[in-house]
Amino acid sequence: MRSRFLSQLIGPITLLASAFCPLSQAAVQNRIASAVDGGSRTSLPGTIMSRARRSTDLGAAPADKKLESMSLRFSMTSAQQASLSQLLADQLNPGSGSYHQWLTPEQFGTRFGLSSADIAKVSTWLTSQGFTITRTARSSTFISFSGTVAQVQQAFGTSIHNLSLNGEPHISNVTDPVLPSDIAGVVTSIVGLNDFKAKPHLRARKASPIDPSQPLYTQTLSGVTSHYISPADFYTIYDENPLLTASTPINGTGVTIAVMGNTDLTSGNVLPDANVAQFRSAAGLPAINLKLQSAIPAGGSDAGVSASDVDEAHLDVEWSSAAAPGATILYVYSSNNIFADSLTYSIDNKVAPIITISYGLCESGWGTAMLSSYNSLLAQANAQGQTVISSSGDAGATDCDATGLATEGLNVDFPSSSPYVTSAGGTMFSGDVNDSAQYWNSNNGSNGGSAISYIPEQPWNETSGSGDSARGCRGRRCQRFLFKTTVADRFRCSKRLFPRSS
C-alpha cells in the first residue's frame, strides 16, 4: 500500500519540480560535426553597412592595420529561439514558475549559446588564421578577437577598403565575408569589419543668453524669461519628491545604473570628475557614487577623451544620477564600438540591472546581420533581468538622413526600435505657454528649482529643415552648452522643454 502510494506521488512531484525549477535544462547539442574544413565556404550576407555603400571608395586599406573589436556572433537554432521567446514571456507571467527567475550569463549560455565543444573548434580555427582571441563570452554567444586587415581578408575572403563619407575617413569591408561552411552554420554576423560608429544623440544648440552675474535657472534678461531645468524641477514636475523624502527614501540606493560610453570620462579617467561634481553641487545633491569600468578588449588601445563623445557621456552620467540620486553609476566605456564593446560587456557580465545608452543608428544602416546579432544580445539582457533604456533620436522616421528629409527613406532608430529595449523619447511643455506664472516661480529655490507642479506636455515634434523631429530635449532643444563657465550651463535648456531621463 505504501509502495503504491509513493508511486502515485512520483508523477505529480516530478511535474511540480519541473515547473518550479525552470533553470534546469539539458545542455545544448554540438552543431559542428567534426573538425573545421576550410574547403567548403559559405557567404554571410547583410554585413555591409549602408554608410559604406554611400561612401567614396579610396582603395585597399593598409594590410598591417589592426582591427581590435572583432567578434563572431553565434546564432541560435530555431528550437533555441522558440525556447527563449517562451522564457521571456514566462518571466513576465506571475503564474509561471519562471516568473522573475532571471538567468546568469552562464545559465543563458547553457540554454541558448553554443556548446563548449563547438566554441573550442571555432577558437582553434580563428587562432589558426593568426587571430588573437581577446574574449570568450560567459554566455557562449560570441568570441572576440583581433587581427590585421591582411589576416581578415585572407580568413574571411573579403576586401577591406579605405572610404570617405561626408569628409570623414573610414575603413570597411566592401564585400560580404565568407566562412568555412561548418562555422557559417552557427554564425549570424562578424562584428568589427568597419569603423563606422553609432552616433551620440546629443546635439548642442544655442539657447537664450543668460546674465553671467546671476546664473539662475529662472531668470529674465532683456525682457525674456527663461526656465532652465534643474533636477529639483524634475522631482516637482514628475512627483518624485514623495519618494525622495519618505521615511525610507526611494532614491536608487542599492541600485546600479550602467551608463554606456564611447570615450574616457576624464583625462586618464581620474576621479572625481570636476564636471559631474559641479553638476551635483549646483543641484544641491550629495557627491555621486561613480565607478568606471573599461570594456576595451584585451590588448586594445584606449583612445582617451573623445571630443565628439564626452559631452554625451557627462550628460548621461549626470542626469541618470540626478533621477536616482542615491544610485551607483557605473560608467562602462570603450574607444572603438560602443555596441560591440561597452554594451556587449555590460550584458555578458550582467554588470547592472539597468543599462542606459544614448547612441544609435537608423535600422537599415546596420545591415540585417548586425540587427539580428544585437537583437539577440538585447534579448539576453531581458532574460537576465536587465532593463535597457535607449534614446529614440531626433529624426523620427527620417533617421537615416544626413541632410534633407527622408532622402534615405523612412527609418527609425535602433536600438530604440528593438522589442527588447525601452525607448525614451521627448516631450515639450505646452501648458505654460500662455500662463507661465501658474507653473513657474519667479524665484529659484536653494537647489535651483522653480517649477510649481506638473506642466501639461505634448510629444516633441517640430520638424525643421535639418530633419529634427519627434524627440525632445535630451537630443534636443534642451542641452548643456559645450562651455561650462556658469552654474546655469549645467542645466541649460530652452524653455518648455524637458530632458528625457535616460
Side-chain angles (χ1 to χ4, degrees):
M1 184 70 175
R2 181 182 179 188
S3 176
R4 187 174 70 177
F5 177 71
L6 289 175
S7 66
Q8 289 173 334
L9 284 178
I10 290 174
I13 290 173
T14 302
L15 289 174
L16 188 65
S18 63
F20 287 93
C21 296
L23 302 185
S24 61
Q25 301 285 329
V28 294
Q29 299 299 306
N30 297 333
R31 296 163 60 189
I32 302 177
S34 58
V36 176
D37 178 7
S40 174
R41 299 176 75 84
T42 300
S43 175
L44 286 181
T47 66
I48 306 173
M49 300 185 76
S50 65
R51 286 187 285 180
R53 298 184 187 279
R54 299 199 310 269
S55 298
T56 301
D57 194 326
L58 303 179
D64 61 350
K65 181 176 179 60
K66 187 177 180 181
L67 303 180
E68 297 180 346
S69 296
M70 294 183 289
S71 59
L72 293 184
R73 303 287 171 137
F74 301 132
S75 61
M76 285 182 277
T77 64
S78 56
Q80 285 177 313
Q81 185 63 67
S83 178
L84 176 57
S85 297
Q86 185 61 55
L87 173 65
L88 293 173
D90 290 344
Q91 287 176 321
L92 300 179
N93 177 7
S96 169
S98 296
Y99 181 64
H100 284 192
Q101 296 297 304
W102 313 119
L103 305 185
T104 65
E106 289 78 11
Q107 288 169 337
F108 186 91
T110 298
R111 297 179 62 175
F112 309 112
L114 206 60
S115 72
S116 57
D118 286 346
I119 286 178
K121 291 172 184 176
V122 175
S123 296
T124 297
W125 181 79
L126 286 169
T127 303
S128 73
Q129 302 302 303
F131 295 120
T132 300
I133 305 296
T134 57
R135 183 181 301 159
T136 298
R138 290 173 55 184
S139 57
S140 302
T141 55
F142 66 87
I143 295 177
S144 296
F145 57 97
S146 62
T148 65
V149 165
Q151 290 168 334
V152 167
Q153 294 182 140
Q154 176 65 32
F156 301 137
T158 186
S159 298
I160 308 294
H161 281 203
N162 287 321
L163 306 174
S164 177
L165 179 64
N166 299 324
E168 295 181 354
H170 291 282
I171 64 165
S172 175
N173 61 307
V174 293
T175 58
D176 282 323
V178 294
L179 285 170
S181 296
D182 291 330
I183 293 180
V186 301
V187 170
T188 301
S189 67
I190 306 175
V191 173
L193 298 184
N194 64 74
D195 66 352
F196 288 105
K197 296 182 179 181
K199 299 291 187 180
H201 285 318
L202 175 147
R203 295 190 185 183
R205 301 189 182 199
K206 184 177 181 180
S208 52
I210 65 169
D211 180 354
S213 66
Q214 294 182 310
L216 303 175
Y217 305 111
T218 290
Q219 65 170 263
T220 300
L221 186 64
S222 301
V224 177
T225 298
S226 298
H227 305 290
Y228 300 131
I229 303 298
S230 75
D233 293 321
F234 179 97
Y235 307 148
T236 296
I237 295 168
Y238 293 101
D239 201 25
E240 190 175 336
N241 281 315
L243 300 177
L244 300 177
T245 59
S247 56
T248 302
I250 301 175
N251 58 11
T253 298
V255 176
T256 298
I257 301 173
V259 175
M260 302 297 96
N262 206 38
T263 174
D264 287 3
L265 199 58
T266 66
S267 179
N269 274 323
V270 176
L271 295 179
D273 184 315
N275 292 314
V276 176
Q278 182 188 16
F279 176 93
R280 301 279 290 196
S281 175
L285 297 173
I288 188 173
N289 183 6
L290 175 62
K291 299 180 180 179
L292 306 180
Q293 174 61 58
S294 171
I296 298 172
S301 57
D302 187 338
V305 175
S306 166
S308 60
D309 296 284
V310 71
D311 283 292
E312 182 70 74
H314 280 136
L315 201 56
D316 293 353
V317 166
E318 290 164 0
W319 276 98
S320 293
S321 68
T328 296
I329 304 300
L330 179 64
Y331 179 67
V332 184
Y333 64 94
S334 57
S335 290
N336 290 317
N337 188 323
I338 194 170
F339 284 87
D341 296 332
S342 299
L343 184 63
T344 295
Y345 180 94
S346 297
I347 294 173
D348 192 57
N349 289 282
K350 198 176 178 178
V351 300
I354 302 170
I355 296 172
T356 176
I357 182 168
S358 294
Y359 287 69
L361 186 66
C362 71
E363 276 190 322
S364 66
W366 288 92
T368 56
M370 297 299 176
L371 281 179
S372 178
S373 293
Y374 286 132
N375 261 320
S376 294
L377 177 69
L378 294 165
Q380 177 186 337
N382 287 188
Q384 295 176 173
Q386 293 175 287
T387 298
V388 181
I389 302 174
S390 172
S391 56
S392 62
D394 282 329
T398 63
D399 199 57
C400 287
D401 295 336
T403 58
L405 293 176
T407 57
E408 298 294 332
L410 298 178
N411 277 272
V412 292
D413 195 83
F414 181 88
S416 284
S417 61
S418 171
Y420 309 110
V421 166
T422 299
S423 177
T427 61
M428 59 188 297
F429 296 144
S430 55
D432 61 343
V433 173
N434 297 318
D435 188 5
S436 176
Q438 180 179 347
Y439 300 103
W440 297 98
N441 284 313
S442 58
N443 297 314
N444 300 271
S446 59
N447 55 5
S450 56
I452 297 173
S453 66
Y454 173 74
I455 304 171
E457 57 196 318
Q458 65 188 46
W460 180 60
N461 192 349
E462 295 183 326
T463 301
S464 66
S466 64
D468 293 346
S469 173
R471 186 177 167 193
C473 164
R474 179 137 169 359
R476 20 286 157 178
R477 297 292 296 276
C478 166
Q479 66 289 316
R480 184 189 62 203
F481 268 10
L482 295 183
F483 58 88
K484 309 181 184 78
T485 57
T486 67
V487 171
D489 289 335
R490 308 302 299 164
F491 309 102
R492 182 181 286 271
C493 301
S494 50
K495 62 180 179 179
R496 298 195 307 279
L497 292 173
F498 186 75
R500 57 101 175 121
S501 59
S502 69

